[in-house]
Amino acid sequence: MRTAYHRRVPEISPDPSTGRDIASQYEPRRVEDVLYRRWVDRGYFTADAASEKPPFSLVIPPPNVTGSLHLGHALEQTLMDAVLRRRRMLGDEVLWLPGMDHAGIATQVLVEKHLAETEGKTRHDVGREDFVARVWRWKEEYGGKILGQMRRLGVGVDWSRERFTMDDGLSKAVQTIFKRLYEDGLIYRAERIINWCPTDHTALSDIEVDHADDEGELVSIRYGDGDRSVVVATTRVETMLGDTAVAVHPDDPRYAHLIGTEIELPLVGRMIPVVADAHVDPEFGTGAVKVTPAHDPNDFEIGQRHSLPMVNIMDEAARITAHGPFEGLSREDARHAVTAALREEGRIVAEKRPYVHAVGHCSRCDTVVEPRLSLQWFVRVEKLAKAAGDAVRDGRVTIEPPALKPRYFDWVDNMHDWCISRQLWWGHRIPVWYGPNGETLCVGPNDTPPAGDGWTQDPDVLDTWFSSALWPFSTMGWPARTADLSRFYPTSLLVTGYDILFFWVVRIMLFGLYAMDGEVPFRTVLLHGLVRDKYGKKMSKSRGNTVDPLDWMDSYGSDALRFSLARGANPGLDQPANEEWVAAARNSCNKMWNATRFAILNGATVEGDLPTELGPVDRWICSRLDEVTAEVDGYLASYEFAKATATLYHFVWDEFCDWYLELAKVSLTSGDDAAAATTRRVLGEVLDVSLRLLHPFVPFVTETLWTTLTGGESLVVAPWPQATGQRRDAAAEAEVAALQSVVTEVRRFRSDQGLRPGQRVPARLSGLDAAGVAPHEPAIRVLARLEAPTDGFAPTATLGIANGVTVELDLSGTLDVAAETARLGRDLATAEKERAQTEAKLGNADFLAKAPDHVVANIRDRAAIASAEIERITAQLAALRSRA
RNA sequence: GGGCGCGUAGCUCAGUGGGAGAGCACCCGCCUUACAAGCGGGGGGUCGCUGGUUCGAAACCAGCCGUGCCCACCA
């Protein structure tokens, strides 16, 4: 009985729980929510600390509580999810811990802005307690939007373990480590030059400052008079009001006579010393530098070395406080005013404008940072950073890709002490109390804060990154020795963008090694690149090229977004994102959908073992499947996401769909029931394995298809395919390649001849035996639309194919000689070029003597093939001419 | 100033000693019974420049040009 390989089936319920959904297009929105809820409800993502399975754990880089999903998150979470879904299928007990960061400045600024807009008040108007309460309310109302967006993306996080950096537990961890560091002398309070933002009115750490080349001015000023004068150059004229010395290099003969003397500071009239300091570069400018210890980090150090007074001339908003005509001016206005005054006194020697130099800006509001002398809390990092460097140096922590290791070392080996106090209200309050008699008391989580008159807590809060640095272990209950900690710590992997290597990764290393007695916080750090726009430009609101990933998920489905992001993810490199590529990925999902739909409608099955006796086509696809399984597994294991997805894409589309399915149709309609049954089983096999391999990247569509195809519970907990190598079959691969070349050549001929794709052409095939494709003649005829020769068969064209097959076609006398001549001419040129190149090599004695044997053999083969091609094509051209 | 990249088809990128590749875009022909979100066919690149190493260089080395990022206390 003849088996139809296709039959019309009415579209049935889209609910994958009720059975088979065989619409002709994949509709993501009909399955995504249902499946995600099911995965969560079934507890697939809930880690079991008591499990016997090997643990694999990862904490999510906590997004800002006020944030929303952007493409960077989507990429990062797609990569994490892909890694973890594979680990889960491999049988690991996977913990993926989600949560959010309170994001000190970012959140506070947002709420302050809201307060100003809605009530016209500042935070000072409402007071600290009320303001913090408002931030909490804001967080409850608007925060956490991103968590819902993560569900859309399909990420397998353990919602039962969700954490927030301001949770009680995490706050306790913050207090614990603060006290421990304090008692170890690794946290101290000191008056130092720090980066101050005059807009946000808070201290910043070094990495919260962005340097930019700005156009400024370089003004040279003469201090003192006559022999006792010196010219100094500065980009910040206004700071001269706070100068307390002039410094020169100790070995500079030009100024040797001035060292130790005093000269008069213009405008101010103060006498200031000339000091010798090796920091001064005699080559730069005049070789003399003004020293403002309270407003420049270098000058501060010179001041320390020479016990110079420190004169602070600015307030928190960077307005001049020095008494006199400039008091109250902004630093910018003061710069002009002071310059004008100096010019009037004839003290300006030179002015260079514009003068381009590096200027620090607040990374949050872009205000020019003011170096400011201020009493702040610091972490003494030297010892901690050394340990953090060693952990990578000795291989206990691996950084992927390794090319980014120099950046890591650059940071940990040159780190300055970390300023951790912030003059904000939203954050972890510094757990230190000051007593009425100058006492300082650090309070741990189990201590009772001091009470009574005169005791006050430090008003500042900690840098956001202080609590982020504890994230991998504070989220697991540290400092308590919890089951999660003993089971899942150290974490297996940290996935994050290289842009926060310093902000976060390094600081986790600092605190992690310290808090956990030298235990590393993670074994591997995987640094991914940034998502850029389709032209490779950085995405930013000001450029207007930002993309809301939800829009793309709405249009094309979560899987499409995930697949396109994974496909662009080459290790450590930035990647562009383009809506067209997401659309292409959507098309791929649809392709998988329809291929599986075809297979299911034709009775594909996964029941029972594969037949031991397989035909060459089945052996070929099984051979390729085994190879692809090995490749994809290897790529995923080494975080080569782009290669893993590209391999799958090409296998599924170019090999399975374009060739195997078409050949399967031949088998299914052949009337050979045994062959058809084998084909149905192989179809089921290839799809089963392919869907499992694809699942880490495109979980929704694969889950829908796989459960329908196999009746299995879920791909989330299905076993990960293992390549055995036993099905590799080079002979079958060669045989199918020969078949493909015949079909392709005929198709090419047909296209050149302008034959309609559907038109069947009578043809006689010969040489099939020698080419090893004799059993495939029926398939070749179907795929190339060639009919058996009829009674009046009169071939008008003879097509020679490189593998020795000849196809004679009866075109009813309509052969387009010109088109065919042109085609053969192009082929001939290609073959002649190949022959010339290969024979040139073979004529080179050095090549023959020095190149490895296999290379020489390969060139000989190619030369022979090229010669044969030339002969064949020449003969065909001659035949064509004689016909014309 | 130091460090790390990048420069390959119109666009975005793989390829890292031995036959120039992919996706998208483009051109031609097709609604051929899984899929027009599809099918078949096709065109397109002196691999930034110069020199070197080598039998052989897109790949390795040097220099140059262009470009991006990170770090940095040259007033």
Side-chain angles (χ1 to χ4, degrees):
Chain A
M1 205 211 299
R2 203 176 145 86
T3 309
Y5 61 77
H6 176 268
R7 58 181 186 275
R8 281 283 169 202
V9 176
E11 291 182 12
I12 54 178
S13 166
D15 180 358
S17 68
T18 61
R20 305 192 151 190
D21 177 354
I22 349 186
S24 67
Q25 281 191 353
Y26 170 52
E27 293 175 53
R29 297 306 294 269
R30 295 169 91 170
V31 299
E32 288 175 355
D33 289 348
V34 178
L35 288 179
Y36 193 76
R37 212 173 308 125
R38 181 184 305 164
W39 293 333
V40 172
D41 289 348
R42 287 183 183 168
Y44 290 155
F45 303 146
T46 309
D48 177 6
S51 163
E52 297 289 314
K53 299 176 185 174
F56 195 95
S57 57
L58 181 154
V59 291
I60 203 167
N64 287 359
V65 64
T66 57
S68 59
L69 194 75
H70 57 65
L71 278 174
H73 293 123
L75 168 68
E76 184 167 281
Q77 294 179 12
T78 295
L79 301 185
M80 287 189 279
D81 201 39
V83 168
L84 294 181
R85 282 181 185 267
R86 169 172 169 273
R87 299 300 325 187
R88 202 178 282 115
M89 292 172 79
L90 279 167
D92 287 356
E93 187 63 33
V94 169
L95 166 61
W96 184 3
L97 194 148
M100 292 178 294
D101 195 288
H102 66 281
I105 294 188
T107 307
Q108 171 161 333
V109 166
L110 204 65
V111 176
E112 280 187 280
K113 203 172 143 200
H114 182 251
L115 187 62
E117 282 168 4
T118 56
E119 300 178 39
K121 292 179 181 169
T122 70
R123 67 177 153 136
H124 300 284
D125 294 334
V126 299
R128 180 164 192 153
E129 202 174 325
D130 186 31
F131 180 77
V132 171
R134 283 165 186 263
V135 181
W136 274 107
R137 282 203 298 278
W138 172 280
K139 183 250 174 191
E140 297 307 328
E141 192 170 349
Y142 302 105
K145 192 170 88 180
I146 192 169
L147 298 178
Q149 296 171 332
M150 284 164 57
R151 292 170 208 265
R152 273 297 302 282
L153 200 60
V155 296
V157 300
D158 184 348
W159 293 109
S160 74
R161 285 177 168 84
E162 187 193 329
R163 298 287 185 271
F164 178 52
T165 49
M166 292 281 281
D167 281 349
D168 286 345
L170 276 67
S171 299
K172 195 176 265 193
V174 166
Q175 267 183 282
T176 302
I177 197 161
F178 188 99
K179 187 172 184 191
R180 202 181 281 184
L181 286 162
Y182 180 79
E183 289 177 348
D184 276 353
L186 295 174
I187 280 184
Y188 64 93
R189 192 181 193 217
E191 190 165 48
R192 291 280 173 82
I193 292 274
I194 45 86
N195 306 296
W196 180 266
C197 176
T199 299
D200 296 336
H201 290 197
T202 181
L204 303 170
S205 66
D206 288 349
I207 54 175
E208 286 168 300
V209 176
D210 296 332
H211 293 273
D213 281 337
D214 288 358
E215 286 188 359
E217 57 183 19
L218 184 67
V219 178
S220 301
I221 310 164
R222 184 168 45 82
Y223 283 11
D225 291 291
D227 292 345
R228 311 256 316 263
S229 79
V230 60
V231 174
V232 298
T234 180
T235 54
R236 302 211 47 204
V237 177
E238 74 280 13
T239 63
M240 60 90 57
L241 300 173
D243 281 3
T244 55
V246 166
V248 298
H249 193 273
D251 303 331
D252 194 330
R254 292 171 294 179
Y255 303 112
H257 67 289
L258 291 174
I259 294 170
T261 68
E262 293 195 328
I263 57 177
E264 188 184 328
L265 184 62
L267 302 183
V268 181
R270 198 164 56 227
M271 294 304 287
I272 56 174
V274 177
V275 300
D277 196 285
H279 167 77
V280 178
D281 176 4
E283 306 291 320
F284 186 90
T286 59
V289 56
K290 61 192 272 307
V291 180
T292 322
H295 292 280
D296 183 281
N298 293 312
D299 294 3
F300 177 78
E301 285 180 18
I302 295 175
Q304 295 287 87
R305 282 194 286 272
H306 300 276
S307 305
L308 299 173
M310 296 182 284
V311 180
N312 195 330
I313 58 157
M314 287 184 216
D315 65 11
E316 304 84 47
R319 282 183 305 254
I320 301 297
T321 55
H323 294 303
F326 310 107
E327 188 173 357
L329 292 180
S330 71
R331 51 187 170 166
E332 292 80 12
D333 291 345
R335 185 171 308 164
H336 292 120
V338 171
T339 306
L342 287 167
R343 195 179 292 125
E344 206 156 296
E345 291 198 5
R347 294 197 167 268
I348 304 287
V349 176
E351 293 176 71
K352 190 174 176 190
R353 210 175 275 113
Y355 179 76
V356 176
H357 63 130
V359 176
H361 295 256
C362 172
S363 61
R364 188 134 305 279
C365 69
D366 206 42
T367 303
V368 172
V369 162
E370 186 61 41
R372 185 162 196 264
L373 189 64
S374 177
L375 189 59
Q376 303 285 346
W377 287 93
F378 297 86
V379 173
R380 199 182 304 281
V381 298
E382 190 183 350
K383 233 173 69 185
L384 301 172
K386 172 76 166 55
D390 288 345
V392 173
R393 264 185 284 270
D394 64 23
R396 280 176 295 147
V397 173
T398 307
I399 292 182
E400 292 284 350
L404 290 167
K405 264 156 73 169
R407 284 195 192 183
Y408 176 84
F409 291 128
D410 181 46
W411 178 257
V412 293
D413 295 342
N414 303 297
M415 194 174 179
H416 293 160
D417 280 0
W418 171 16
C419 176
I420 50 171
S421 43
R422 296 289 179 278
Q423 289 64 52
L424 305 171
W425 288 351
W426 175 240
H428 298 100
R429 189 105 175 237
I430 289 177
V432 172
W433 267 256
Y434 305 111
N437 303 310
E439 303 98 323
T440 298
L441 189 64
C442 181
V443 174
N446 302 317
D447 304 335
T448 312
D453 284 350
W455 281 95
T456 53
Q457 184 174 6
D458 191 298
D460 292 350
V461 300
L462 289 163
D463 181 1
T464 289
W465 298 100
F466 190 95
S467 54
S468 314
L470 313 177
W471 186 253
F473 46 98
S474 64
T475 51
M476 292 189 194
W478 187 89
R481 303 222 60 90
T482 62
D484 276 2
L485 265 182
S486 56
R487 185 84 186 123
F488 294 112
Y489 197 87
T491 60
S492 313
L493 181 67
L494 186 80
V495 179
T496 193
Y498 65 71
D499 56 327
I500 62 167
L501 182 65
F502 309 132
F503 284 96
W504 195 42
V505 179
V506 169
R507 279 153 178 189
I508 299 175
M509 290 288 282
L510 297 183
F511 282 0
L513 291 163
Y514 175 77
M516 301 298 287
D517 306 315
E519 183 88 84
V520 298
F522 29 68
R523 314 228 181 259
T524 299
V525 180
L526 176 63
L527 297 166
H528 61 76
L530 274 34
V531 180
R532 297 171 170 274
D533 77 3
K534 64 177 171 178
Y535 303 110
K537 299 285 177 216
K538 200 170 186 167
M539 283 194 180
S540 67
K541 281 179 187 146
S542 56
R543 284 173 197 262
N545 59 352
T546 55
V547 169
D548 185 345
L550 292 176
D551 290 343
W552 286 357
M553 282 194 262
D554 286 344
S555 302
Y556 308 104
S558 304
D559 286 338
L561 178 66
R562 293 172 57 120
F563 196 73
S564 68
L565 288 172
R567 215 176 161 184
N570 289 298
L573 297 179
D574 290 349
Q575 61 172 296
N578 186 339
E579 182 165 1
E580 287 170 3
W581 305 341
V582 184
R586 182 270 316 263
N587 296 353
S588 300
C589 292
N590 198 46
K591 190 76 179 173
M592 295 165 208
W593 176 269
N594 276 296
T596 310
R597 171 171 177 256
F598 168 83
I600 289 171
L601 291 177
N602 286 282
T605 178
V606 296
E607 297 299 320
D609 294 332
L610 275 189
T612 44
E613 293 295 314
L614 293 177
V617 173
D618 291 331
R619 292 206 309 276
W620 157 71
I621 198 69
C622 288
S623 176
R624 288 291 304 131
L625 179 66
D626 193 72
E627 215 169 320
V628 165
T629 302
E631 285 174 12
V632 170
D633 184 58
Y635 287 143
L636 253 176
S638 56
Y639 314 113
E640 302 249 36
F641 303 100
K643 286 178 180 164
T645 44
T647 300
L648 284 164
Y649 173 92
H650 287 295
F651 174 72
V652 169
W653 201 312
D654 300 346
E655 298 189 272
F656 181 68
C657 290
D658 285 355
W659 289 98
Y660 186 77
L661 284 187
E662 295 306 317
L663 290 165
K665 291 175 185 173
V666 178
S667 163
L668 292 168
T669 56
S670 66
D672 179 340
D673 288 349
T678 300
T679 297
R680 282 194 284 269
R681 181 64 189 85
V682 173
L683 274 174
E685 178 72 12
V686 177
L687 279 171
D688 175 20
V689 174
S690 300
L691 291 170
R692 282 190 276 154
L693 291 172
L694 281 158
H695 181 254
F697 302 105
V698 283
F700 294 112
V701 67
T702 51
E703 175 81 332
T704 307
L705 294 171
W706 188 84
T707 51
T708 307
L709 174 74
T710 67
E713 178 189 321
S714 171
L715 266 180
V716 179
V717 291
W720 180 247
Q722 298 291 335
T724 63
Q726 286 164 6
R727 291 198 195 139
R728 301 291 172 88
D729 192 330
E733 290 191 22
E735 194 171 325
V736 170
L739 177 166
Q740 288 171 330
S741 73
V742 175
V743 172
T744 303
E745 281 302 313
V746 175
R747 282 174 174 168
R748 201 162 84 150
F749 173 80
R750 295 178 56 117
S751 186
D752 285 345
Q753 288 294 315
L755 297 178
R756 293 154 49 83
Q759 185 184 337
R760 289 171 201 282
V761 179
R764 182 161 59 208
L765 287 77
S766 52
L768 295 173
D769 259 327
V773 290
H776 302 298
E777 179 167 350
I780 290 169
R781 286 187 177 279
V782 170
L783 298 185
R785 314 255 165 201
L786 300 177
E787 283 182 344
T790 45
D791 283 347
F793 183 69
T796 47
T798 303
L799 198 57
I801 291 158
N803 59 18
V805 172
T806 300
V807 182
E808 295 169 280
L809 302 101
D810 181 353
L811 301 176
S812 315
T814 60
L815 179 66
D816 183 341
V817 175
E820 188 59 3
T821 304
R823 155 66 62 195
L824 289 171
R826 281 199 295 276
D827 288 353
L828 185 63
T830 304
E832 280 174 340
K833 190 176 163 199
E834 172 79 354
R835 184 171 68 176
Q837 283 176 350
T838 50
E839 294 199 334
K841 287 197 174 192
L842 294 172
N844 182 339
D846 278 338
F847 173 74
L848 295 175
K850 294 180 182 173
D853 290 346
H854 74 273
V855 172
V856 177
N858 178 257
I859 297 289
R860 278 194 212 287
D861 288 350
R862 283 169 50 196
I865 290 169
S867 295
E869 275 289 283
I870 288 165
E871 198 172 315
R872 202 199 85 222
I873 296 168
T874 308
Q876 288 198 41
L877 278 169
L880 267 183
R881 267 195 298 276
S882 69
R883 186 157 303 177

